[in-house]
Amino acid sequence: MANESEPDNPLPVDFVPEGSVETHRVSDGEDWASVAAQYNVKVEDLIYFNFHTNVPEEVNWYLRRNVGCNVSNDDGLNWAFSSSADPGLIYIPASEVTEKEAEDVTPVATGDTAANDSALRLTFSYNRESVTLDSIQTLEEMPTSESDPLEHDSEAGFWYELRDADNTTLYRQVIHNPLRYDAEIYLDEETIVRQVFDDYADTFDLLVPKLPTATQIALFSSPLNPETLGEAATELATFSLTEGGVT
Amino acid sequence: MSARDGTVIGTTILQDSGKKGFNLVIVSEGYKRAELPTFATDAKDFMDKFFMTPPFDSHQAWFNVYRVDVASTDSGAKDPAGGACGGSGANPATYFEASFCWNNLPRLLGCNSDLVRKVVNAQVPKWNGILVIVNTTTFGGSGGPVAVFSRAAGASEIGIHEFCHAAFGLADEYEYYGGCGTGETGHDNYTGAEPAEPNVTANINRNTLKWGSFVGRSIALPTTVNADCTKCDPQASPVAAGTVGAFTGAFYNHCGAYRPEFDCKMRTLSKPLCSVCQYRIEVKLKPYAPLGDFPQPKPNTGVG
């Protein structure tokens, strides 16, 4: 028996998610990842769409009860898709691309990136006073990660945004702060502590998608101070991607 | 000038998964030319460890791995004795100037990351992540644009931890800044904005928690409460390892900020990455997956 847990308020055994665009009959050799890729949806989104949970034990419970999975490929830890599952049906949500096309929204980075698959490596230098964009290198046939959500509330941390000429954000990536004003000190395998540098100046790179309409990159950061690192990030600097200078 | 203190020998492909893959580059520092076979073994050992670490174990075919051999004039790393450093005084001439007490911080092992990236730009222009192995058996390492770690037992975990910062934007999940028991102030209660990173939060509303879909309905939120916010929480986990909830203490604060699991490699080097961190990594790696090649079910994930 796979690791299972019955949810508190389980969905009906014949639950069909609202908005399902297709019914998929599972078969031998498939798994969540292969089905998700087939329909251009995220694995976790596909699971949640079907079962309203991503908790592994609850997913296993639904796989047995609702999908009728009856084989395991990992010594019984998880149920696996197979042709013998009865009824063996999972439901497919609308893909991101389909939704985007249907709503005719402003093109976002994920779509542009998929079509383009080229990247820019931006090299910056910084010190206590300023950040400078030193160079832009184009890398053809270089994939980049999909965008983080463009819509968000006030947040602490560091991220960058690619924007078009109208200042519309096309792509956003949350990253660990590359402006190193402190460091993790590793005392042993169990103990990490942090200390602040007396002074700092260094360089860093960002690998960003080469978007046809992106003209600038904006860097956002919370204060570089351990006592105030929770303050909401503000725009630190904006650089032209066409001229290599501060806009 | 350190670039005179050795020679760039060349690059070897340790794993070739095709041109679309995520390009991981392992660089030698402080190995003399005659010691490069040792580096080859160290790089292979690291690669094997990396691909035994979930979720990378399920996505090995998404990576290309390169080894860049750089011979140094001398072996090891600098270890300044003066001032607060208190090291051995070793001063080997190495290509990337690796040194303990980097930036005047005792125990911090760093190197000239700018020079590392210039060398790698020439050797593997489409690099995604760089790790530097320093030929010393003293435990240490550092992060930033390249991950640096020594040959000491367990130090490769530093490389993985720092790689997860640099490549996937994961936050630290430990609940202190200068260390538990140091009496530090200013880290008792996080009152700031919601952290942008995916694996720490100040919001434990079940309906809006950023990793809420991973949390079972029977799991209490918060899952642990620190009884004394002036200190790190000493309690053991009240739930089984791997349970996702909202555990008090994260993002350098004893209270007010929460982590997804009781432990995680972003909190303790020797532990596995938590489920939420693994999910973030998989999302960010997806564009590097070869068509038609998808991960097999992972133990106890319920996704297969």
Side-chain angles (χ1 to χ4, degrees):
Chain A
M1 174 70 77
N3 292 334
E4 291 184 9
S5 175
E6 181 175 349
D8 288 346
N9 299 296
L11 302 168
V13 68
D14 56 354
F15 174 70
V16 178
E18 187 176 344
S20 173
V21 296
E22 192 161 339
T23 301
H24 178 88
R25 176 74 175 82
V26 300
S27 59
D28 293 339
E30 287 186 329
D31 58 26
W32 285 111
S34 63
V35 176
Q38 180 179 342
Y39 295 98
N40 194 32
V41 297
K42 293 178 183 175
V43 171
E44 299 298 324
D45 292 346
L46 177 62
I47 295 171
Y48 195 84
F49 183 71
N50 276 271
F51 303 147
H52 289 191
T53 179
N54 289 107
V55 176
E57 292 80 6
E58 295 178 358
V59 172
N60 265 323
W61 188 85
Y62 280 120
L63 281 172
R64 178 182 53 78
R65 193 195 71 155
N66 286 26
V67 184
C69 292
N70 49 27
V71 299
S72 171
N73 293 330
D74 56 6
D75 296 327
L77 283 173
N78 300 294
W79 292 117
F81 292 157
S82 71
S83 300
S84 61
D86 182 18
L89 303 179
I90 59 174
Y91 300 95
I92 310 301
S95 76
E96 295 170 10
V97 173
T98 303
E99 286 177 350
K100 181 163 72 80
E101 289 171 349
E103 295 170 9
D104 193 25
V105 296
T106 302
V108 295
T110 47
D112 284 357
T113 305
N116 193 319
D117 236 16
S118 293
L120 302 174
R121 192 184 308 286
L122 311 178
T123 300
F124 298 85
S125 57
Y126 65 94
N127 56 30
R128 280 187 181 278
E129 307 300 323
S130 64
V131 182
T132 305
L133 175 57
D134 296 330
S135 67
I136 301 175
Q137 177 189 10
T138 299
L139 299 165
E140 303 295 343
E141 297 186 272
M142 180 83 182
T144 50
S145 295
E146 64 183 52
S147 176
D148 285 319
L150 302 182
E151 300 292 329
H152 60 94
D153 294 331
S154 176
E155 291 182 334
F158 190 100
W159 65 87
Y160 66 85
E161 296 178 359
L162 302 180
R163 297 173 176 166
D164 66 14
D166 296 328
N167 223 26
T168 300
T169 300
L170 308 174
Y171 179 94
R172 175 176 181 256
Q173 196 68 234
V174 173
I175 61 175
H176 198 59
N177 200 323
L179 307 175
R180 300 179 67 213
Y181 67 98
D182 67 350
E184 292 181 290
I185 314 293
Y186 298 95
L187 304 182
D188 53 49
E189 273 192 87
E190 303 299 318
T191 314
I192 309 171
V193 300
R194 298 191 75 88
Q195 290 187 22
V196 176
F197 294 144
D198 293 334
D199 199 5
Y200 55 86
D202 207 341
T203 61
F204 68 92
D205 297 316
L206 296 178
L207 184 69
V208 309
K210 184 181 180 185
L211 305 181
T213 56
T215 60
Q216 52 187 321
I217 181 169
L219 309 182
F220 290 77
S221 178
S222 291
L224 302 182
N225 181 334
E227 309 304 324
T228 54
L229 56 79
E231 287 186 15
T234 56
E235 191 168 312
L236 191 67
T238 304
F239 302 95
S240 168
L241 292 174
T242 54
E243 300 169 7
V246 179
T247 60
Chain B
M1 176 62 198
S2 70
R4 291 198 299 267
D5 295 334
T7 307
V8 177
I9 305 296
T11 298
T12 301
I13 301 176
L14 301 183
Q15 173 170 301
D16 186 355
S17 296
K19 66 181 182 182
K20 194 182 178 188
F22 187 103
N23 295 318
L24 194 64
V25 183
I26 307 172
V27 182
S28 63
E29 162 63 348
Y31 294 78
K32 294 196 290 189
R33 183 183 287 261
E35 295 170 326
L36 288 176
T38 302
F39 169 61
T41 301
D42 293 343
K44 177 67 165 55
D45 288 348
F46 173 79
M47 187 177 81
D48 291 345
K49 185 175 187 61
F50 181 80
F51 287 125
M52 286 192 295
T53 303
F56 307 114
D57 59 339
S58 298
H59 306 300
Q60 183 165 355
W62 299 11
F63 285 84
N64 300 312
V65 184
Y66 299 84
R67 190 190 78 223
V68 176
D69 293 344
V70 179
S72 288
T73 303
D74 297 329
S75 283
K78 294 177 173 57
D79 193 11
C85 294
S88 67
N91 189 30
T94 63
Y95 198 94
F96 298 117
E97 303 173 301
S99 179
F100 287 95
C101 207
W102 190 257
N103 260 9
N104 263 336
L105 296 185
R107 305 292 301 271
L108 182 63
L109 174 62
C111 69
N112 185 337
S113 65
D114 192 51
L115 184 56
V116 170
R117 278 154 41 238
K118 284 175 178 164
V119 167
V120 173
N121 275 338
Q123 296 287 316
V124 188
K126 293 185 179 179
W127 61 270
N128 290 96
I130 302 174
L131 301 111
V132 177
I133 303 179
V134 182
N135 185 20
T136 170
T137 54
T138 302
F139 194 85
S142 61
V146 304
V148 178
F149 60 97
S150 71
R151 299 184 66 223
S156 59
E157 299 287 6
I158 297 171
I160 299 174
H161 175 98
E162 292 293 351
F163 172 68
C164 289
H165 279 317
F168 307 113
L170 295 175
D172 289 314
E173 295 186 17
Y174 43 86
E175 75 264 44
Y176 56 82
Y177 189 84
C180 289
T182 61
E184 66 180 0
T185 58
H187 297 273
D188 293 352
N189 237 311
Y190 184 78
T191 56
E194 172 66 9
E197 292 93 334
N199 60 323
V200 290
T201 188
N203 167 37
I204 55 170
N205 181 317
R206 189 176 293 273
N207 297 319
T208 55
L209 173 64
K210 61 175 77 168
W211 57 77
S213 67
F214 288 80
V215 180
R217 295 174 200 279
S218 63
I219 301 300
L221 295 180
T223 314
T224 56
V225 176
N226 186 347
D228 182 355
C229 290
T230 65
K231 302 174 183 172
C232 297
D233 188 352
Q235 70 176 299
S237 177
V239 294
T243 301
V244 179
F247 296 80
T248 299
F251 203 48
Y252 319 123
N253 282 269
H254 307 141
C255 293
Y258 305 86
R259 59 190 192 274
E261 292 186 18
F262 186 79
D263 223 336
C264 173
K265 194 175 295 297
M266 301 315 290
R267 171 180 169 84
T268 307
L269 292 178
S270 59
K271 301 296 183 183
L273 287 156
C274 67
S275 301
V276 170
C277 290
Q278 290 191 40
Y279 177 56
R280 166 76 173 188
I281 290 168
E282 289 176 328
V283 167
K284 293 300 172 185
L285 279 178
K286 186 178 169 188
Y288 301 94
L291 285 174
D293 187 3
F294 299 101
Q296 294 303 303
K298 291 181 297 184
N300 200 25
T301 61
V303 291

